[in-house]
Structures are given as C-alpha cells and as structure tokens.
Amino acid sequence: MAKFELKLPKMGESVAEATITNWLKEVGDKIEADEAVLEIATDKVDSEVPSEVSGILVEQLFGKDDLVQVGQTIAIIETEGGEMVPVVKAAATPEAIAEVTKTVDAAKDSVALATSGLVDFSDSDKFFSPLVKNIASAEGISVAELEQINGTGKDGRVTKNDILEYVKNRGSQAVSTPAKTVEAAQAAPPVAQKAAPVSVSGGDEIIEMDRMRKLIAGYMVASVQTSAHVQSFIEVDVTNIVKWREKNKNAFEKREGEKLTYTPIFMEAVAKALKDFPGLNISVDGDYIIKKKNINLGMAASLPNGNLIVPVIKNADQLNLVGMAKAVNDLGGRAKAGKLRPDDTQGGTYTVTNVGTFGSVFGTPILNQPQVGILALGAIRKVPAVIETPEGDFIGIRQKMFLSHSYDHRVVDGALGGGFVKRVAEYLESFDVNRDL
C-alpha cells in the first residue's frame, strides 16, 4: 500500500487560500481517480477538489470551515502498490515539511514527465486535474481543444469521463449531446435540501443565511465601518448612445456573435476617466495609499441563487469596445450560470454596478473594499429637457440617466470624487453617434 497526499490545487494567480465547505468523501470511502473529494470556497466562488489517484480516503487533515493555503496537504489517500509517499504530519518542522514537499513534488514531476508528453497546460486559466491533463497529453489534445470540452463536474470542470468520452467521439462536431446531458443529470445523486426551521407558533419562518449571504453581509458591514462614505450625483444625456446602439446592435450581434448592451459603453468611459483621475484607482492600507498600476474594473452581477458577485475585467483601459463587450458578456454569462473561476473575482481596482437594471433611478452603493470608489448606473429614461441651440432654447425629449458615485472620504475629497464622475459624464455625452464598430 502507498499513501498519496491530496493538496489544495492552484486556482488562479491571485488566489492563495480557500475554505473547506463540505467533505464529499468520508474516511474509509473508496475514491476513483478524478472523483471529487471535497468542496471549497474562495471569496464567493465554490469549487470541487478531485483526487489524482484511486484509493481509500484514510485521513482528513482539515475540517469543515477550515482555511487552507494553496499547496497544503488536505487529505491522505491510500493507494494500491508503488512506493510509500512520505506523509507530512501537523507536528513536522518547517524544514522537514519543505524537504518532504520537495521529494514528493520531484516524484510527481517525474511521473508527469513520463506520462504527459510535452503539452504545457500552465497557460490555461481553467483548472484541470492531473489525470485529465495526462489523458489529454497522451491523446495529443491541445490546451485550446481541452478548454472547449463541456465538463459535467461542478462549475463545468472537465472530469475523467468527459475527456474519455471526447476522445471516443473525437472528430465529431458536438462534444456533448442533449441525451448525454440528460443521462448525466439522471445519474447525479439527489441534492439534500436543508429544512428551514419554523417558529413554534407556526407563523413566521426562520431561514438561516447561506454561506455567501453571510460573506456579503460581513463585507458590507466591514466596508461601512472602514470607510467614510460620501456620494456625488450627476445627470447625463445619453441620447446619442441610445441612437448609436439601436443603429448598430443587430449588425454587431451578427458579426461578433455577441449582444451589444449599454454596459461596455459605460465601462469604456469609466476606464478612460480612471486614466484621467488615477487618484480613484487606489486602495488604502492603514496609513498608506497604494496606487494601482492596472485598471481592473469590477462589474456587479447576479448569481443563480440571487446573491451578488463582482467579477473583474482585467486591464480594462486596454480594450476596445468590441473587446469590452466580449469581456462583459463572458463574465456576466458565467456569473449567471455559476461558472466563474476563483481568479475571476480577484484584483479589482474600481467597481461599477448597474442599479438601473432593476428600474432604480439612482443608488448609493457601498464600497467594495479595499477600493475607494464605486459607480452606480441608473435607469435610462425619456424626459423633457431644455435644449440649447444658436436659435434659442426649446424643450425636447431626451434620454437621460443618473450616475451615483460613492467614494472613500478618507482619501478622496469632493473635488476629486465629483470631478471624476463629471468626466465620465462628459465622455458619455460626447459619444460619437457616427462611430464605427
């Protein structure tokens, strides 16, 4: 018998730790290679950790709700045959842990080199288990090809059965079929629903917050306690934007295969304004101000369970409008489908939330710490407005909306906070109605 150390895998460049939310396997359970052993949570994104080997789970080194670092051993699996793999005990010294880790990693690297060919999967943002990568390498499947496989695991993770099925049917146009999806759904074990407690009187219903709602509640309270929130509001005439989108949205969708919404246009203006006002693209750490090199825009989005999440568009100022539209649609679509990756929500430097989606004219959003600014986009409405012309003023129908800017008054004064939102408005109002896509 050999003992294998199951470690917390790397899940993104900026993700260093995760919380164990549920053990799917108990001590003594048999585990197949690539089968999920436990569920973890990083910030607001949940993921599964699959086993790299087949065997018996003999030890759980952490319990539910424990915080684990990436690369840390979380379980011991006993396998058939092979040499004994040293197991790091909790009482081991740092030097011993480092030496054992070095030995284990060297052994795993040797095995991977012999079985995985020359394909390098490190460039992919998606998580693939070692078994899946080994099968892909052996079958000559490229990283790009592997990323196109529709996984049936949690959050779209590609499982051993998915890639074997793909290899079997390789060459056909469809990676998965509706029939296979139905079959997989039927084979999946039923999800146990936790009964909500009800008051003794039989009147009010008492429902415990889910994990994510508890996290959001904690973040919101901490943000208000940390920052001195202040708001600035400005009304913007977006008539030209509305006309331009109506004229181009069908051609854009036909050419790009993407819907053209207002959001990427607004995000483009915000990114431009942040370059003009770098004092909003900062964070606060105690008595120090950290100026951010990159402009990474967070966009508030809804999850399937109704909770809120903020995926991040990295280097937003470097994207043209087409690239921004694709980024917005990709992150928004994966948020609604519950398929965001841990790294998708990391590294934001400024956040935009669209309260107009729910019909709100304006809002006073709470800062997404440690950021110092957040912009709320109100609903676009037709309103009567005074229009100035060389021949005189007259009343006309215009498309207008409110921008609500919340900022941290500890480091952002009214001149900076108000000047920034005014610059966003100027970019929107000067939008070229004849602009090419």
Side-chain angles (χ1 to χ4, degrees):
M1 288 290 192
K3 290 184 178 179
F4 175 82
E5 295 181 335
L6 179 64
K7 299 178 182 293
L8 184 66
K10 184 177 180 181
M11 295 160 290
E13 290 298 328
S14 55
V15 180
E17 59 189 17
T19 301
I20 295 176
T21 57
N22 186 34
W23 280 97
L24 302 176
K25 296 290 183 179
E26 299 298 332
V27 173
D29 287 353
K30 181 175 176 57
I31 299 171
E32 297 294 332
D34 205 48
E35 187 176 7
V37 179
L38 69 158
E39 294 178 339
I40 59 173
T42 58
D43 196 3
K44 301 175 185 176
V45 180
D46 296 341
S47 306
E48 289 177 342
V49 177
S51 173
E52 301 174 33
V53 297
S54 297
I56 304 295
L57 181 62
V58 296
E59 190 173 0
Q60 296 175 346
L61 300 182
F62 294 91
K64 184 179 178 181
D65 297 327
D66 283 349
L67 190 66
V68 186
Q69 302 297 313
V70 168
Q72 205 167 2
T73 302
I74 49 183
I76 306 299
I77 300 173
E78 195 170 72
T79 64
E80 292 285 347
E83 297 182 358
M84 294 293 289
V85 178
V87 178
V88 179
K89 296 297 183 181
T93 64
E95 293 77 15
I97 293 175
E99 185 62 30
V100 170
T101 302
K102 182 178 178 181
T103 303
V104 173
D105 288 344
K108 289 172 68 177
D109 289 344
S110 298
V111 173
L113 184 61
T115 57
S116 65
L118 300 176
V119 181
D120 181 12
F121 295 95
S122 61
D123 292 335
S124 176
D125 291 331
K126 298 183 69 174
F127 169 72
F128 299 107
S129 69
L131 179 60
V132 168
K133 289 189 285 190
N134 287 343
I135 295 174
S137 295
E139 296 294 335
I141 297 174
S142 67
V143 176
E145 192 175 357
L146 185 58
E147 289 180 333
Q148 297 303 313
I149 298 177
N150 295 325
T152 58
K154 185 177 178 61
D155 297 330
R157 182 177 65 82
V158 177
T159 66
K160 175 184 68 175
N161 291 335
D162 293 329
I163 192 168
L164 289 178
E165 184 70 18
Y166 177 77
V167 170
K168 179 181 177 182
N169 299 321
R170 200 176 183 190
S172 62
Q173 292 294 322
V175 174
S176 62
T177 63
K180 189 180 85 172
T181 304
V182 172
E183 181 181 348
Q186 292 173 342
V191 178
Q193 298 291 331
K194 183 178 178 181
V198 180
S199 64
V200 177
S201 65
D204 300 337
E205 184 179 11
I206 304 171
I207 302 173
E208 183 181 2
M209 293 183 187
D210 60 24
R211 182 191 65 83
M212 186 172 293
R213 179 47 56 183
K214 291 177 182 177
L215 281 173
I216 294 173
Y219 293 152
M220 295 299 98
V221 172
S223 181
V224 172
Q225 291 176 340
T226 300
S227 300
H229 285 63
V230 68
Q231 285 83 27
S232 292
F233 306 93
I234 192 166
E235 191 175 27
V236 190
D237 189 329
V238 291
T239 305
N240 285 348
I241 292 175
V242 173
K243 290 180 178 178
W244 181 86
R245 176 179 172 271
E246 286 298 317
K247 184 174 68 173
N248 291 281
K249 64 179 182 180
N250 292 334
F252 183 88
E253 184 172 3
K254 183 177 180 180
R255 190 187 77 185
E256 302 293 339
E258 303 274 353
K259 288 188 178 298
L260 180 61
T261 65
Y262 292 112
T263 302
I265 301 173
F266 298 143
M267 298 297 259
E268 180 187 53
V270 171
K272 288 181 179 179
L274 284 173
K275 293 192 74 171
D276 298 338
F277 291 82
L280 265 301
N281 200 53
I282 66 172
S283 64
V284 179
D285 185 3
D287 294 330
Y288 295 92
I289 294 173
I290 303 171
K291 292 184 176 181
K292 299 295 184 177
K293 177 182 178 182
N294 300 324
I295 294 176
N296 300 333
L297 291 184
M299 47 171 277
S302 297
L303 289 168
N305 60 7
N307 287 323
L308 194 68
I309 197 166
V310 185
V312 177
I313 301 173
K314 307 292 173 60
N315 297 308
D317 58 312
Q318 299 178 18
L319 299 176
N320 60 18
L321 190 56
V322 174
M324 188 74 79
K326 288 182 178 292
V328 167
N329 291 342
D330 172 58
L331 290 173
R334 286 195 286 117
K336 290 179 182 178
K339 293 184 177 181
L340 287 173
R341 298 183 293 269
D343 208 36
D344 289 330
T345 60
Q346 306 296 319
T349 61
Y350 187 90
T351 296
V352 178
T353 180
N354 191 351
V355 298
T357 302
F358 315 107
S360 296
V361 177
F362 56 79
T364 55
I366 296 174
L367 293 170
N368 185 15
Q369 296 293 338
Q371 299 168 25
V372 300
I374 180 171
L375 186 70
L377 308 173
I380 298 175
R381 303 167 300 133
K382 287 183 178 181
V383 296
V386 176
I387 301 174
E388 297 179 357
T389 70
E391 290 75 27
D393 297 343
F394 67 92
I395 301 294
I397 303 299
R398 306 295 289 178
Q399 301 272 6
K400 290 197 173 188
M401 64 181 293
F402 282 99
L403 302 180
S404 310
H405 186 210
S406 293
Y407 45 96
D408 189 342
H409 211 355
R410 295 178 302 166
V411 290
V412 181
D413 292 327
L416 176 58
F420 168 79
V421 71
K422 184 173 184 291
R423 184 62 54 83
V424 175
E426 289 170 352
Y427 279 128
L428 295 177
E429 290 189 338
S430 63
F431 189 90
D432 184 4
V433 73
N434 297 314
R435 177 176 177 174
D436 292 329
L437 281 171

